Amino acid sequence: MHRRHVPDARRTDAVLLLVALVWGSSYLSAQTATAALPVLLVLVARYALSALACLGLVAVRRGRPLWTRDELRAGVPLGVTQAVVLLVETYGVAHTSAANAGLIISLTIVLTPLLDRSGHPGGLPPRFFVAAGVCVVAVALLMTGNGFHAPRSGDLLMLGAAVVRAVHVALVGRLTSGRAIRPLHLTTVQTVVGTALFLPLAARDLPALARADTATWLQLLYLALFCSVFAFLAQTWAVQRTSASRASLLLGTEPVWAAAVGIALAGERFTLLTGLGAALMVTGTYWGQAVERAHRTSLPDRISLPDDRADKDPVCRSTTLTRTSSTCSTPVPSTTASSTTPPRAPRSP
């Protein structure tokens, strides 16, 4: 029995690491796609492909009802805020390195608890703010590049994306807490809303999709099917088989993978300053996440808090913790958006 449990645990860990790797690689894929097509066209293609895949999965499952009132009420506004996150993020990654994009967006982990105070009635401990300060220093170092200079527009956009994503995650908590919401169905609503928002804006550029080469289409399909749909389903499967803390730790390696992919495949180089910034960002986000989680679980009434409820209720298992995807009936931190393990932000599709 014990021998059987070990391979199962390793398989779950491997799936979570694969999700983190896929999300980390999404920055380079988005950067490559936006080099060939306008940003808005990349977004509408990514959203539309994700929506078609999600609608197909919903049709196969044939749940009754197809969508509940709570799923629609939460999905529409969350689809709008998620679209804003992805818009700012995609423009940002088009004007900075994939490594910087993945590292700066990790700020969401420490920004979210500052905005969502529902799980911290007594306020966050001082150590959390020290960890947040470490992240701020890390961002400053990452923005310097080869030396101190004015920040690049892409870095500033990624910083803005981290702030907007933190707002989105906090909103996820308010709109989904205490409601039985199915992550796949909520994600589907968000992808449909995103498609509807970006389609009119990119309509005049749609003919360019027909002229796009095979490599560009492969990037679009990868972003939609792997970085959004697959990552969402894989994360949902995995977090039901492990603890929130372990899932959060493994998914938190996303910025490390983003940097590794950027260096290995795009030839990006780390200077001493950017290397130090990367180390401080990873340290600060992990430290801040650990402090927040310990503070939350030490509260006497923690059993009634959304994150604990999500750990116990399979219906609330959501999509992502920190990057772009779906949302669960209870957030914490998956392209693409709800959280499963604190406090990674929902990932966009």
Side-chain angles (χ1 to χ4, degrees), residues 49-70:
L49 291 170
S50 297
L52 289 174
C54 287
L55 286 169
L57 291 171
V58 169
V60 169
R61 295 184 65 175
R62 296 179 181 177
R64 293 292 183 270
L66 283 180
W67 280 275
T68 65
R69 183 175 300 178
D70 283 340

Side-chain angles (χ1 to χ4, degrees), residues 11 33 89 117 123 136 147 174 182 185 206 221 226 262 267 274 282 307 334 349:
R11 186 182 305 114
E89 184 178 291
R117 308 303 293 272
V136 171
R174 294 187 181 184
R182 295 163 293 181
H185 291 67
L206 286 178
L221 287 169
F226 286 88
T274 53
V282 173
D307 291 279
S334 339

Side-chain angles (χ1 to χ4, degrees):
M1 204 58 179
H2 175 68
R3 292 179 180 176
R4 185 177 181 180
H5 175 71
V6 172
D8 287 345
R10 289 176 178 172
R11 186 182 305 114
T12 301
D13 289 351
V15 169
L16 288 169
L17 281 174
L18 179 60
V19 171
L21 171 59
V22 167
W23 283 344
S25 67
S26 67
Y27 300 99
L28 181 58
S29 292
Q31 190 178 64
T32 304
T34 53
L37 296 171
V39 168
L40 290 174
L41 191 58
V42 169
L43 288 170
V44 74
R46 181 177 179 178
Y47 260 110
L49 291 170
S50 297
L52 289 174
C54 287
L55 286 169
L57 291 171
V58 169
V60 169
R61 295 184 65 175
R62 296 179 181 177
R64 293 292 183 270
L66 283 180
W67 280 275
T68 65
R69 183 175 300 178
D70 283 340
E71 288 165 350
L72 293 174
R73 284 179 175 175
V76 173
L78 289 177
V80 174
T81 56
Q82 188 185 76
V84 175
V85 172
L86 203 53
L87 177 66
V88 179
E89 184 178 291
T90 307
Y91 270 111
V93 77
H95 296 91
T96 189
S97 68
N100 269 22
L103 289 162
I104 294 174
I105 201 69
S106 299
L107 270 175
T108 303
I109 296 176
V110 293
L111 289 174
T112 301
L114 296 175
L115 296 173
D116 183 13
R117 308 303 293 272
S118 59
H120 318 97
L124 290 160
R127 285 182 302 156
F128 180 86
F129 296 96
V130 176
V134 171
C135 291
V136 171
V137 173
V139 169
L141 291 173
L142 289 170
M143 288 182 175
T144 61
N146 295 319
F148 291 100
H149 56 75
R152 287 176 291 183
S153 60
D155 293 329
L156 292 175
L157 284 170
M158 292 308 300
L159 184 58
V163 174
V164 176
R165 181 179 295 165
V167 173
H168 171 72
V169 179
L171 186 61
V172 168
R174 294 187 181 184
L175 295 181
T176 62
S177 180
R179 296 177 175 86
I181 292 179
R182 295 163 293 181
L184 174 60
H185 291 67
L186 185 58
T187 301
T188 303
V189 174
Q190 292 179 93
T191 56
V192 170
V193 169
T195 303
L197 288 174
F198 288 123
L199 186 57
L201 300 176
R204 65 179 183 180
D205 293 322
L206 286 178
L209 279 176
R211 299 191 297 269
D213 58 22
T214 303
T216 301
W217 270 105
L218 288 176
Q219 297 290 351
L220 294 174
L221 287 169
Y222 181 72
L223 287 169
L225 302 183
F226 286 88
C227 300
S228 297
V229 180
F230 163 76
F232 160 65
L233 294 176
Q235 181 201 353
T236 302
W237 175 87
V239 296
Q240 291 176 334
R241 290 163 174 78
T242 189
S243 67
S245 298
R246 191 171 185 84
S248 182
L249 179 67
L250 295 170
L251 290 171
T253 61
E254 177 190 338
V256 178
W257 293 113
V261 169
I263 294 170
L265 301 183
E268 296 176 358
R269 298 178 61 186
F270 264 17
T271 64
L272 178 60
L273 289 176
T274 53
L276 179 59
L280 288 176
M281 178 61 77
V282 173
T283 301
T285 53
Y286 270 95
W287 185 20
Q289 188 178 49
V291 170
E292 188 275 343
R293 183 170 57 245
H295 176 70
R296 174 167 35 80
T297 55
S298 67
L299 295 174
D301 57 343
R302 62 184 177 280
I303 272 210
S304 65
L305 293 180
D307 291 279
D308 284 338
R309 179 180 174 275
D311 289 342
K312 296 178 174 62
D313 185 359
V315 176
C316 296
R317 296 289 186 185
S318 127
T319 321
T320 53
L321 304 178
T322 311
R323 216 190 85 94
T324 24
S325 170
S326 357
T327 73
C328 161
S329 62
T330 324
V332 294
S334 339
T335 208
T336 355
S338 110
S339 338
T340 350
T341 62
R344 280 183 65 79
R347 192 171 175 84
S348 313

